[in-house]
Amino acid sequence: MPPTTFKSISASEEAYPETISIIPNLKDTSTPITIDYQLTSPVANTSPCQLVLNFFSKLRFEIACFSMTFALIVYQSSSTSMILEKTCLAKYSEDICGNLQNHTRIKSSVEQEAVNYQLIHTLIRTAPAVVVSLFIGSWSDKYGRKLPLQMALAGATIEAVGSSICAYYLHSKVEYYFIPAVFMGCMGGGATMLTIVYSYTSESVVHEKRTMKNAFYEIAIGLAKPIGVMAGGWIYKFLGYVAVFAIGACSMFFSLMWFTFMIPETRGMDNKDPWTVKAKQLMSCKNIAQSFTLKVKQESQSRKKETILLIISICILHVSASGK
């Protein structure tokens, strides 16, 4: 067998990966096979576009969270004003509703009635979602995170589409605006979104990188809120209510597709239970009990008090923020 020769590699060359080309001379057996190393630097051969793509590929989860939060904020910013306008148009003419500041008594009456409608609309969107999230939390630990999140995003997309239809028929009754909110609440809503997103944040990275992952998540959410408020105002000013809700629906649908195809599953990959069993487990009251007792049993008495106080403080914070 003919000998094989190798080109020596210096210490500086070992810092870069090599591409190996083997060019044998099959006709002349006396010629040894030569293995030639062609050194390439990954940094030198990487284009700026590739660097940008690599950067955003590491922020796939944050991009989805930004789009989801932006969609929620962009059409919620116009929801209250549309309820007020629909309430006024149900009783008065467009001339009066367009100049409510000149009709003090009518304005006070319309605003009071609109607040009641807004309260009902908010309860429809949130109360069922809170109940659903209690069942979803423990269920997703066993069967996976993606399906509950997909359901919640699908419900939010349906709500945005239905809201755009209600905005198109602006003279319709305010009660019709409650119908899209039912999908948002019964399919999980914001409570399920937060439950799954925070669970995924803690599971998608190792413990040492969890703080940085949470920081990037909070940055994405923090940027989406003011941008959504600003975009909602500008879109309404130039294009009206329909465009606001339509853009919100598109952004929410983008989040749904992104979570479906770009975000990997973290739980339940090895579970082989049929869908009938999964459906029964979803409606089991044991999920609620596990949501409250799984962690509390392991805590000391002082830690239990701290946990309860933390939950109460977070609730107060969200209530105060929602009332602004």
Side-chain angles (χ1 to χ4, degrees):
M1 180 176 179
T4 303
T5 61
F6 297 89
K7 179 182 177 180
S8 61
I9 303 175
S10 62
S12 60
E13 293 174 340
E14 291 180 355
Y16 303 99
E18 302 86 6
T19 58
I20 304 175
S21 60
I22 303 176
I23 310 175
N25 190 347
L26 300 179
K27 295 182 179 180
D28 188 3
T29 57
S30 62
T31 304
I33 298 176
T34 303
I35 301 178
D36 185 23
Y37 292 85
Q38 298 177 354
L39 303 178
T40 58
S41 173
V43 178
N45 292 340
T46 303
S47 63
C49 294
Q50 187 65 35
L51 292 175
V52 173
L53 291 176
N54 292 338
F55 174 76
F56 281 105
S57 66
K58 298 179 181 179
L59 299 177
R60 290 179 296 176
F61 179 73
E62 288 75 10
I63 292 173
C65 293
F66 176 89
S67 176
M68 178 183 69
T69 307
F70 173 82
L72 290 173
I73 297 298
V74 76
Y75 65 77
Q76 284 182 5
S77 60
S78 298
S79 176
T80 303
S81 59
M82 190 179 76
I83 289 177
L84 178 63
E85 190 167 348
K86 290 175 76 69
T87 303
C88 183
L89 290 173
K91 294 183 177 181
Y92 305 100
S93 63
E94 293 185 1
D95 295 334
I96 295 177
C97 295
N99 298 279
L100 278 178
Q101 63 274 10
N102 298 327
H103 303 82
T104 307
R105 295 179 60 184
I106 296 177
K107 179 181 179 181
S108 177
S109 175
V110 169
E111 288 180 346
Q112 184 176 0
E113 189 174 357
V115 167
N116 295 331
Y117 281 126
Q118 180 65 41
L119 176 61
I120 297 173
H121 183 262
T122 303
L123 289 175
I124 293 174
R125 296 179 78 250
T126 56
V130 172
V131 177
V132 171
S133 66
L134 295 177
F135 289 91
I136 286 295
S138 178
W139 185 90
S140 65
D141 291 337
K142 184 177 181 180
Y143 295 110
R145 307 293 188 192
K146 294 186 73 171
L147 181 60
L149 185 58
Q150 289 168 340
M151 290 176 56
L153 292 173
T157 304
I158 295 173
E159 185 202 27
V161 173
S163 299
S164 63
I165 296 174
C166 293
Y168 182 79
Y169 297 100
L170 195 59
H171 291 268
S172 61
K173 293 183 178 181
V174 187
E175 289 80 3
Y176 290 143
Y177 188 48
F178 298 157
I179 298 176
V182 174
F183 290 93
M184 179 70 167
C186 294
M187 297 181 71
T192 297
M193 293 180 193
L194 289 177
T195 300
I196 301 301
V197 164
Y198 277 111
S199 299
Y200 184 86
T201 303
S202 62
E203 295 170 351
S204 59
V205 294
V206 296
H207 181 74
E208 291 76 11
K209 297 182 179 180
R210 192 170 298 170
T211 302
M212 184 60 66
K213 188 71 173 179
N214 289 329
F216 277 111
Y217 165 73
E218 294 294 339
I219 291 173
I221 298 299
L223 289 175
K225 289 181 178 179
I227 294 176
V229 172
M230 182 179 64
W234 280 98
I235 295 170
Y236 167 71
K237 181 178 180 180
F238 292 104
L239 300 175
Y241 288 120
V242 178
V244 172
F245 291 108
I247 291 175
C250 293
S251 181
M252 192 63 71
F253 182 75
F254 170 80
S255 301
L256 174 60
M257 294 295 101
W258 190 274
F259 271 112
T260 300
F261 297 106
M262 300 298 293
I263 306 299
E265 181 62 90
T266 58
R267 288 293 186 98
M269 287 83 73
D270 299 331
N271 191 284
K272 303 300 182 181
D273 290 345
W275 283 104
T276 54
V277 176
K278 293 180 180 180
K280 291 180 181 179
Q281 290 293 327
L282 178 61
M283 303 305 298
S284 175
C285 294
K286 293 181 180 179
N287 294 327
I288 301 178
Q290 291 176 358
S291 298
F292 285 102
T293 61
L294 184 61
K295 181 63 179 175
V296 175
K297 285 182 178 179
Q298 303 173 359
E299 301 288 354
S300 62
Q301 191 66 27
S302 60
R303 293 288 295 175
K304 290 180 182 179
K305 294 180 180 179
E306 292 177 1
T307 303
I308 294 174
L309 290 175
L310 179 61
I311 294 174
I312 294 174
S313 63
I314 292 175
C315 292
I316 295 174
L317 177 63
H318 280 283
V319 169
S320 61
S322 300
K324 291 181 179 180

